[in-house]
Amino acid sequence: MDKFVIRGGKKLHGTITIDGAKNASLALMPAALLASGTFQLRNTPNLRDVSTMSALLRTMGMVVDLEGHVLTLDTTGVRKHEAPYEHVKKMRASIYVLGPLLARYGQAKVSLPGGCAWGPRPVDLHIEGIKKLGAEVELREGYIFAKASRLTGARIQFDISSVGATGNILMAAVLAKGTTVIENAAIEPEITALAHFLVCMGAKIDGVGTNRLEIQGVDELHATDIETIPDRIETGTFLVAVAMTGGSVTLRHVEPEHFRALSAKLEDVGCRLEFNNSCVTITAPESIRAADATATIFPGFPTDMQAQWTALMSIAQGTAVVTDTIYFDRFKHVPELIRLGANIEVKENAAVVRGVKRLTGAKVMSTDLRASASLILAGLVAEGTTEVLRVYHIDRGYEAIERKLQALGADIERVAGEEF
Ligand code: UD1
């Protein structure tokens, strides 16, 4: 297991390029199951979650090859329609194969994902949705067994907005007979990217980008090529890194519309942001003001930036309340930030963060992807040396984060191969 050793206190300067969006890639890859042929997904990030999804799709007979950032998927040999526990337990997004397998092959056996590091994350909306489309569903031996000779369109009203359930039902509905309407659909950019991809494959979808999707099922889709959108969470993580360390950094290949809520917050706390086409330059102030943030659905502040914002607020002037309305228990980073000297109290689904003058280096443990990111950010400003253990979590969602930080002047190194 690798660890990161970070010697804090370096301001960040320079330019880096943001990679393609993990959560978009994890939706586009299984969507390829919906048609026979060869797809190319450009700007696919080289991450552990992408490798995990590739491994799962290979077990079904798909040929998957990532060269640089070009992912080629050949679906002509797909014969198996199962997502085994061994894969799903590594990554919840494996549930995304449910809709496409069922729609194209009339059957799917997909392991139930179980909980995650920050609590239960049910898939009831996915299951209810495919039932509405006419699938027979049985839950046994830890698996979802679903079948349908052909799905039929239906009206689906989600009680809560779910990225995954919207993606899954959308992928199921594009090959269903008749019209499906999804009300209260998620409008996260990764879902809009998925809808665009499906339209390129020949799907008929109205309302793309809105929370009411109307899908006219078609008999067949075809393979296509597409470029994946930039990763708004990687973008946000680097913006917060600069806000914390000080300095001025340009991020290339970003989509400003995808992180407006974060940009506004960064301006509130004193950062200057300049946008130029697909670039953003952030210049950090001498000291950061405190500002509350509430994680909610898009276009609100993203839950996947909540941990990083909590880290930033830990060195702000004043007190900030960071609330998560999506995942009530997503605060595993807090005890680790406290080990670095932060003053944070968790009350129900909110962290009350009282800014301190300085953090100090210590050994801390990654518990999940975004929590790990927050610990690295804290390590970049902590006095002395911080060791972030179990960095395999960070490798799930960031491509070579340490190399990008090094390029900006950070003192961070990966130490490999020991048991930590
Ligand atoms: C996706 C993202 C994840 C992000 C999250 C919220 C991917 C691969 N992952 O996860 O990074 O943090 O969106 O933006 O894109 N829920 C139910 N029943 C369900 C499904 C969801 O109750 O069947 C609840 C969840 O527990 C949560 C809320 O709905 O409270 C939103 O979750 P959802 O949008 O589904 O998250 P994911 O798609 O799992």
Side-chain angles (χ1 to χ4, degrees), residues 23 26 92-93 96 120-126 160-164 303-304 326-327 330:
N23 287 350
L26 294 179
R92 292 178 51 83
Y96 266 142
R121 283 172 77 185
V123 289
D124 54 313
L125 298 173
H126 302 239
I160 45 176
S161 173
S162 160
V163 173
T303 174
D304 287 348
I326 306 289
Y327 297 114
R330 197 178 191 178

Side-chain angles (χ1 to χ4, degrees), residues 96-144:
Y96 266 142
V97 298
L98 177 64
L101 284 177
L102 187 58
R104 173 108 190 283
Y105 300 98
Q107 54 176 305
K109 177 183 171 189
V110 179
S111 171
L112 283 161
C116 77
W118 64 83
R121 283 172 77 185
V123 289
D124 54 313
L125 298 173
H126 302 239
I127 295 170
E128 287 312 311
I130 56 168
K131 279 188 183 165
K132 281 250 165 71
L133 295 177
E136 277 175 47
V137 183
E138 247 191 286
L139 302 184
R140 61 184 154 87
E141 298 147 21
Y143 278 82
I144 305 166

Side-chain angles (χ1 to χ4, degrees), residues 18 32 35-36 62 64 119 130 136 171 197 224 237 270 295 412:
I18 294 301
S36 180
M62 200 187 283
V64 184
I130 56 168
E136 277 175 47
M171 289 189 275
F197 183 55
T224 190
T237 302
I412 175 170

